[in-house]
Amino acid sequence: MRSSIKTVDFLIIGGGVAGLRAAIEVAPVGSVIVLTKDMPAESSTGYAQGGIAVALSDEDEVGIHYEDTINAGDGLCNKDAVKVLVEEGPELILELISWGAEFDKEGSKLAFTQEAAHSRRRILHAQGDSTGRELERVLINKVRTFKSVSRYDFAFTVDLIIKDDRCAGAIILRDREAIHIYAKATILATGGAGQLYSRTTNPAVTTGDGMAIAYRAGAVLQDMEFIQFHPTTLYSPSAPQFLISEAMRGEGAILKNIHGERFMPGYHTLAELAPRDIVSRAIISEMVRTNAKHVYLDLTHLDKNFVKGRFPRIYSTCLQFDIDITEDLIPVSPAAHYVMGGVKTNLNGETDIKGLFATGEVACTGVHGANRLASNSLLEGLVYGARAGRSAGEYVNKSQKSEVRSQRLKTASSILPSFDTVKIKSTLRRLMWEKVGIIRCKESLNAAREWLRKWDSILKADFTSRERLELKNMLTVANLIVDSALLREGSIGAHYRSDFKERGENWQRHVISQKEKGLQRADA
Ligand code: SIN
């Protein structure tokens, strides 16, 4: 394989909201490469429908947004991180608007919608249900205005380069070439790991790469057991798994079981607007009780023109599969949606490895605690992307010129027996869904652990193809999730153990994973 070396001041791995916002911050400071492993806009950001939560409406206050976030996080939020999120969010949204973001309006005022567990209408949205796309558009355009930023698309990060206990960049694969990119600061913004589950709202790129490469490099990861499951994705054998936004329930949509009975009021006083973990578990209970593979979301009582105008993307996507959401019930079931855990960082995106920063879903500041409040993730990308960029800029200004020493890409291991990557990926995804999903227990987690052991040799091997490297990353992250979920013997937020339904002892402590030290409990 051909190989080459490049040097740059800032290497940003990932091109969603967090990576792009970080790029805007570092672009005036030095040269920047933004890597995406697929097309430039292919990230979870582009798929975000519901919106972005921010306390900007007349009847809202940052203090109320703070309380709602803390309550959804079920006692495990880092309060300082939440304070930063809700206080810095409004200014960054106004900045985004000044860069050309067009959020939906009612008359001349911004329109805010409702989502679960928010006590105010505070969700901004764009083109109805294409909020992420609008953010991506504006941020990509803004990044293009900086000559210091180059984009490398279809570039897969193999591993981080660690020299003298510092991160000095990353080795990437692009066009059958291994490129060693030496960077003074590296920012991980690779998003989440939804693809570990056979049912997910996430795009195909979300294979936990950033979490896995950071772990291999020795970074600390936190709270990997907290996986958020979105209550409603389209369930139809002929249709792709497609998010059916929570904003629909915010606008009055109702959940019904296959017998047409509304069930959420029996599970929670907030009914359809209860926190996501509660709604997802209630749906699973109804599915089991009625022996069905899905429940229904019903919008047929809402005004047809309102529904079409407010949710144009969902309307047209469902119509392709012969579901007219203004007339038909939508078959839905939960799916993996968001990882609350991730690479542990402080409030400035610094990880435990010097020169390595992380932001967005790949990172864990603790802002979401055990369960993320709906529509806080795009805001997190803006706020913490900017912060990670700023601190990376300061770090580079202070740092010495780093030495560039070439290092050979390890070639593929020859001793490893051949294996079917596609088959293992699919078995893994089903295993995670069935044994490490919305409801887990010691028995199911141990069964998953046993299966994962069969693939241990893959974790130790070196590969030079994207498919195999992705599988290795998925297995790495799956192991972290299973081990963390076994260690947390209690139910809190999105982590629900049927064998430990109470919070359990020391529930406030975090679960920390680090390659050299293994798994530990740690105070906040
Ligand atoms: C949705 O539109 O339901 C997703 C919003 C989110 O996950 O924050």
Side-chain angles (χ1 to χ4, degrees), residues 111-387:
F112 294 89
T113 191
Q114 180 78 49
E115 281 184 0
H118 287 271
S119 57
R120 294 286 186 279
R121 289 180 77 89
R122 70 162 67 90
I123 322 296
L124 288 176
H125 43 91
Q127 291 139 49
D129 51 7
S130 290
T131 316
R133 258 192 215 165
E134 177 64 1
L135 258 69
E136 192 86 37
R137 179 189 73 79
V138 172
L139 291 171
I140 286 178
N141 284 344
K142 182 71 186 169
V143 167
R144 281 200 187 119
T145 64
F146 294 99
K147 292 212 163 49
S148 54
V149 182
S150 322
R151 298 208 51 145
Y152 280 29
D153 305 322
F154 297 100
F156 191 87
T157 306
V158 180
D159 265 315
L160 296 170
I161 302 171
I162 303 293
K163 286 231 162 82
D164 306 327
D165 296 329
R166 284 171 184 257
C167 180
I171 304 175
I172 67 155
L173 288 178
R174 191 179 183 224
D175 285 342
R176 299 177 171 273
E177 183 180 14
I179 310 177
H180 292 68
I181 303 183
Y182 286 88
K184 293 177 187 163
T186 302
I187 304 178
L188 286 177
T190 48
Q195 285 297 322
L196 263 72
Y197 287 86
S198 55
R199 288 202 55 76
T200 181
T201 60
N202 290 189
V205 288
T206 56
T207 49
D209 304 323
M211 292 160 188
I213 61 176
Y215 179 74
R216 285 200 291 275
V220 173
L221 276 80
Q222 178 172 298
D223 293 342
M224 291 299 290
E225 68 278 24
F226 295 130
I227 309 292
Q228 181 171 76
F229 295 88
H230 195 289
T232 54
T233 46
L234 182 60
Y235 184 88
S236 163
S238 62
Q241 295 177 27
F242 178 73
L243 178 66
I244 303 293
S245 179
E246 185 155 308
M248 289 190 145
R249 280 175 282 130
E251 299 290 2
I254 284 168
L255 283 162
K256 292 181 170 172
N257 65 21
I258 51 151
H259 303 306
E261 299 151 348
R262 186 178 181 198
F263 55 86
M264 272 317 297
Y267 287 90
H268 198 277
T269 45
L270 291 173
E272 278 79 6
L273 292 180
R276 273 183 191 172
D277 56 314
I278 292 166
V279 181
S280 290
R281 282 196 297 277
I283 292 176
I284 294 290
S285 299
E286 286 300 303
M287 281 161 53
V288 170
R289 205 174 62 77
T290 59
N291 196 18
K293 293 205 158 98
H294 62 82
V295 294
Y296 288 112
L297 190 69
D298 184 0
L299 289 88
T300 56
H301 52 290
L302 301 179
D303 178 79
K304 285 186 181 17
N305 287 329
F306 167 74
V307 170
K308 283 189 212 170
R310 179 66 185 82
F311 301 108
R313 190 168 168 187
I314 302 176
Y315 173 75
S316 62
T317 304
C318 288
L319 209 53
Q320 283 171 33
F321 300 98
D322 297 327
I323 301 164
D324 179 342
I325 64 171
T326 66
E327 289 174 4
D328 305 320
L329 304 183
I330 314 173
V332 290
S333 82
H337 186 55
Y338 189 89
V339 186
M340 269 73 70
V343 182
K344 185 173 186 290
T345 71
N346 64 14
L347 303 189
N348 295 319
E350 291 168 319
T351 70
D352 288 79
I353 300 177
K354 285 219 161 28
L356 181 66
F357 300 78
T359 183
E361 189 174 349
V362 68
C364 179
T365 56
V367 70
H368 305 304
N371 188 30
R372 178 177 62 86
L373 182 67
S375 288
N376 265 354
S377 51
L378 291 177
L379 192 68
E380 176 195 19
L382 279 185
V383 170
Y384 283 100
R387 281 186 153 245

Side-chain angles (χ1 to χ4, degrees), residues 397-461:
N397 278 335
K398 277 190 271 166
S399 68
Q400 303 295 313
K401 203 170 177 299
S402 62
E403 194 194 342
V404 174
R405 223 181 308 135
S406 177
Q407 161 183 318
R408 277 174 68 82
L409 178 70
K410 292 179 206 139
T411 47
S413 314
S414 52
I415 36 155
L416 200 66
S418 66
F419 60 90
D420 184 340
T421 312
V422 177
K423 174 103 175 64
I424 297 180
K425 265 192 194 173
S426 136
T427 310
L428 170 68
R429 298 176 77 231
R430 265 186 289 123
L431 179 75
M432 291 297 285
W433 178 251
E434 282 162 18
K435 309 285 185 206
V436 198
I438 298 173
I439 300 174
R440 316 95 191 245
C441 64
K442 188 172 182 179
E443 201 186 339
S444 72
L445 292 167
N446 275 331
R449 162 115 312 303
E450 279 309 298
W451 261 99
L452 288 173
R453 284 216 173 97
K454 295 183 192 182
W455 298 316
D456 270 355
S457 55
I458 296 174
L459 294 177
K460 295 182 197 111

